Amino acid sequence: MKQILAEILTIGDEILYGQITDTNSQWISSELDQLGIKVVRKTTVGDTEEAILGAFAEAEARADMVLITGGLGPTNDDLTMPMLAQYFDSEIIMNESVLTHVKHFFESRGRTFTELNKRQALVPKVAEVLHNELGTAPGTWYERNGKVFVSMPGVPHEMKNLMKTLVLPKLASFFQTPVIYHKLIKTVGIGESFLADKIKDWEESLPEHISLAYLPSVGQVKLRLTAIGDNREHLKKDVQELIDELMPLAGSYIYGYDNTTLEEAVGQLLKAKGKTIALAESCSGGYVQHKITTIAGSSEYFQGGVVPYHNNHKVNLLGVKPATLEVHGAVSEACVKEMAEGARKLFNADIGASSSGIAGPGGGSEEKPVGTVWIAFADGKETITKKLQLTQNRLLNIELTQISVLNLVRKSLSR
Amino acid sequence: MKQILAEILTIGDEILYGQITDTNSQWISSELDQLGIKVVRKTTVGDTEEAILGAFAEAEARADMVLITGGLGPTNDDLTMPMLAQYFDSEIIMNESVLTHVKHFFESRGRTFTELNKRQALVPKVAEVLHNELGTAPGTWYERNGKVFVSMPGVPHEMKNLMKTLVLPKLASFFQTPVIYHKLIKTVGIGESFLADKIKDWEESLPEHISLAYLPSVGQVKLRLTAIGDNREHLKKDVQELIDELMPLAGSYIYGYDNTTLEEAVGQLLKAKGKTIALAESCSGGYVQHKITTIAGSSEYFQGGVVPYHNNHKVNLLGVKPATLEVHGAVSEACVKEMAEGARKLFNADIGASSSGIAGPGGGSEEKPVGTVWIAFADGKETITKKLQLTQNRLLNIELTQISVLNLVRKSLSR
């Protein structure tokens, strides 16, 4: 099968001068990659006629499709529409359906619809309009000699919505790309190379039409399965069978799929088990509680928590024994055990979890260097502890402690 | 003065396919912009000879300098060095000083120095080597017909260090760019347009050689003053005089300069005043405490805090009166007042601060819609409260509440 090639063209001085980050082109690349379309070049040019027309011609010469973002505002700096009209030798017309949409868009938000706003409805006559339900600048689609140009707004959520609902399906149909089905498998608590080692035989036995990618981030590794074929339901079934085979090998590290976050997965587990939780965070400084409370509805299972940064609060609030601090210190198994049990009682929760460690850069010793962290889980029946040996970097240590605490709760609840 | 033009070229399949985000080119753009050099195009190409050589020639035709990142690994996929050698018609030689550095780099980290690693020391003979102290791939510098090519590693911290210490000074000297001095003025608690209105006269009276940019982000606005001239000390003095004039107009919103963060500024204030702080966070869910504890040394002034997510903990732990909750509800001035005072006492701190609000998406009512938040500051002498009317977005409300609490502490301490 002939490889289908794409170029991505970003238009705007503000990106060229480093005033804003272009996150669009990575997202577009990754979506095209998942359709089996190969991006051969990304280009950013400024708001000048010469640069834009030059980039159009260069891209058309190299690729089967050119995906353009930006330069669609209503002011005179915004040149994408007039340049597309010129490039495709077309006059510009007022599109009535876009005009109605833009007018409604402004009026429904209580904003005045001005003459300037009207210009958002001016599109090249030769273009097919792609309705932008989330904004005022329409997408447009052009075909010539078997090649496709697509122009989209630069505002990320508008562009993404247009791509997902209209552009990607149209590209798949125009270029007759195969059906592609993806599944993200999200793991925590195991490094990339250890995971790869555990699932080596499974990975090697993957059928021809299904491929695997490792996507590591701080403290987590995502596995992406990509299946290519001609029937989505069959692919979905094939992938599910592979996940079923993966479970005995790595199931204990898997906390969710696709867009699920770790804090969401822990929340769902707590809800499913009908349990509430409380936190006592020393070195993670409230970050676990912050993560838990980013989830809408977390008040159903999150009772509350405490950050006893100074040791006397560990004693007064959580009932950590002064002798524990004296003999073992605050960064110790005994201390996090008493903290987790104390949090449980203080907040009248089913579960207590805790952290205490040396985030750095100061405070380390030979016996307990920077990066030494203890965490604990208590449910009233037993208390599980874990020692972490992390990094020299304070922010990374806080992040990794937060992930480890949530993962300890997840694993303990899943027993 | 002739405008000096630059192009940025990123080399690597992993960026083209959307596997990693290219943050380098934005950073480079912004640094060049601050030197008065204009970026006219950014291009990303994959790891193929044809694409790389084509991109070199195109960029050279358009710009005075071409800044290249990526493609410098020791494997056969990495083509930047051989393509530069070919483009500049030069043989490749083993550079002894790079070789020594790479060898030491590996050995000092206890890693084996292999034949493959040796290849990192292969550079075009025509190139000037730019020593990369943070990594193994060297930077290289090429001059031809008054134009400059610079090749740098793609690893962001290596590239940034090379740029700051070697590339930017060399570019400034080669192209005789003027001396440019920047100062970031960081404000919080006022929107961009209100700030612009307050400082309009000051802005209009800026001298010819000093320009102002507004850089807004969530809850904050940075002002960047850029002074152009031929003497750094004079520029510094000019900028300081302008800041002195700005203070009576907007000083109460300014919390710091350059890289200072709000949580750092609050920490410095607390240290300077010899005060300790404790938090009681309901709707911000521990995020203020997280921000405070990201700062190394925060244990000097941060006593601890509590997240009393359920109302009974507001009563039991912080001494909020049941009658307050009954009559006014948890999201009320009376409640955050008692929470801040309670946190102060519970943690034996000089200062208590608190938040309670409806982060959303659920929990809103006609009287108290989603986004209604109360915050408070208590220092034992008085308690200051503030009502915020924020957004429909949960994460944004948490972020804005965190910033507002820190700013309330800052303002109250600065009185």
Side-chain angles (χ1 to χ4, degrees), chain B residues 237-313:
Chain B
K237 196 170 141 280
D238 294 348
V239 165
Q240 190 51 55
E241 282 171 15
L242 284 170
I243 292 177
D244 293 344
E245 286 170 28
L246 182 65
M247 291 311 278
L249 305 171
S252 65
Y253 306 105
I254 298 171
Y255 68 78
Y257 300 91
D258 299 324
N259 294 322
T260 305
T261 60
L262 180 56
E263 49 272 21
E264 233 178 325
V266 169
Q268 284 162 5
L269 254 177
L270 286 163
K271 268 206 279 193
K273 305 241 165 189
K275 303 277 187 195
T276 60
I277 191 168
L279 268 291
E281 298 184 71
S282 193
C283 74
S284 51
Y287 199 35
V288 178
Q289 298 169 67
H290 166 58
K291 282 289 179 180
I292 289 175
T293 55
T294 57
I295 304 301
S298 48
S299 57
E300 270 185 61
Y301 48 82
F302 177 59
Q303 277 286 334
V306 63
V307 180
Y309 224 51
H310 271 233
N311 283 346
N312 54 331
H313 307 310

Side-chain angles (χ1 to χ4, degrees), chain A residues 15-18 21 26 29 38-39 42-44 58 285 289-290 293 299 303-305 307 310 313 347 394, chain B residues 15-18 21 26 29 38-39 41-42 44 58 285 289-290 293 299 303-305 307 310 313 347 394:
Chain A
I15 289 173
L16 224 39
Y17 303 161
T21 315
Q26 185 197 2
S29 285
K38 186 172 173 176
V39 175
K42 293 182 193 178
T43 306
T44 306
E58 290 165 27
Q289 298 169 67
H290 166 57
T293 55
S299 57
Q303 276 288 334
V307 180
H310 272 235
H313 307 311
F347 288 92
R394 182 178 182 87
Chain B
I15 290 174
L16 223 38
Y17 303 162
T21 315
Q26 185 196 2
S29 286
K38 186 173 172 174
V39 175
R41 191 180 285 231
K42 293 183 192 176
T44 306
E58 290 165 28
Q289 298 169 67
H290 166 58
T293 55
S299 57
Q303 277 286 334
V307 180
H310 271 233
H313 307 310
F347 288 92
R394 181 179 182 88

Side-chain angles (χ1 to χ4, degrees), chain A residues 100-333:
Chain A
T100 308
H101 166 68
V102 175
K103 195 157 179 278
H104 175 76
F105 194 92
F106 277 88
E107 289 173 353
S108 69
R109 282 161 180 76
R111 286 155 60 190
T112 318
F113 179 68
T114 64
E115 271 307 304
L116 192 67
N117 303 139
K118 250 190 184 170
R119 294 170 64 170
Q120 296 274 232
L122 291 170
V123 297
K125 194 175 175 184
V126 72
E128 177 182 341
V129 169
L130 307 174
H131 180 59
N132 175 10
E133 55 184 337
L134 302 182
T136 56
T140 46
W141 173 281
Y142 308 79
E143 295 175 13
R144 185 162 70 184
N145 306 326
K147 299 201 171 187
V148 169
F149 274 59
V150 185
S151 158
M152 293 174 286
V155 181
H157 76 276
E158 297 179 20
M159 180 281 293
K160 288 180 188 174
N161 185 59
L162 261 185
M163 279 285 284
K164 291 221 162 191
T165 58
L166 295 172
V167 177
L168 289 169
K170 273 175 79 72
L171 289 173
S173 134
F174 186 90
F175 291 103
Q176 297 183 295
T177 59
V179 173
I180 301 203
Y181 174 76
H182 296 279
K183 189 89 183 171
L184 275 181
I185 304 164
K186 301 184 117 175
T187 76
V188 62
I190 185 167
E192 184 179 4
S193 57
F194 292 98
L195 181 61
D197 199 47
K198 269 195 191 295
I199 66 176
K200 198 164 56 113
D201 293 345
W202 174 83
E203 182 177 354
E204 280 168 7
S205 74
L206 288 178
E208 189 82 353
H209 71 297
I210 298 186
S211 64
L212 176 71
Y214 289 83
L215 309 170
S217 57
V218 172
Q220 306 198 17
V221 178
K222 284 177 275 196
L223 298 173
R224 189 180 68 205
L225 284 172
T226 301
I228 304 190
D230 49 22
N231 180 308
R232 192 182 154 83
E233 288 312 307
H234 292 173
L235 297 177
K236 219 169 149 173
K237 196 171 140 279
D238 295 348
V239 165
Q240 190 51 54
E241 282 172 14
L242 284 169
I243 292 178
D244 293 344
E245 287 170 28
L246 182 65
M247 291 312 280
L249 306 171
S252 65
Y253 306 106
I254 298 171
Y255 68 78
Y257 301 91
D258 299 324
N259 294 322
T260 305
T261 60
L262 180 57
E263 49 272 22
E264 234 178 323
V266 169
Q268 283 162 6
L269 255 176
L270 286 163
K271 267 206 281 192
K273 304 241 166 190
K275 302 277 186 195
T276 60
I277 191 168
L279 269 291
E281 298 184 70
S282 194
C283 74
S284 50
Y287 199 35
V288 178
Q289 298 169 67
H290 166 57
K291 282 290 181 180
I292 289 175
T293 55
T294 57
I295 304 300
S298 48
S299 57
E300 270 185 61
Y301 47 82
F302 178 59
Q303 276 288 334
V306 64
V307 180
Y309 224 50
H310 272 235
N311 283 346
N312 54 331
H313 307 311
K314 295 183 177 80
V315 175
N316 298 338
L317 284 170
L318 295 166
V320 171
K321 296 189 204 90
T324 302
L325 293 175
E326 234 165 77
V327 178
H328 304 284
V331 180
S332 66
E333 180 170 25

Side-chain angles (χ1 to χ4, degrees), chain A residues 333-395:
Chain A
E333 180 170 25
C335 182
V336 288
K337 199 166 170 291
E338 291 173 20
M339 284 172 70
E341 287 161 2
R344 219 188 128 255
K345 283 183 205 141
L346 184 64
F347 288 92
N348 194 24
D350 300 311
I351 289 159
S354 65
S355 75
S356 183
I358 300 149
S365 66
E366 200 158 318
E367 195 203 347
K368 294 177 185 175
V370 167
T372 307
V373 174
W374 278 95
I375 61 176
F377 167 96
D379 65 3
K381 274 175 248 144
E382 62 177 323
T383 302
I384 303 167
T385 60
K386 191 174 158 73
K387 186 185 184 181
L388 314 170
Q389 202 62 57
L390 304 175
T391 75
Q392 293 298 307
N393 181 297
R394 182 178 182 87
L395 292 183

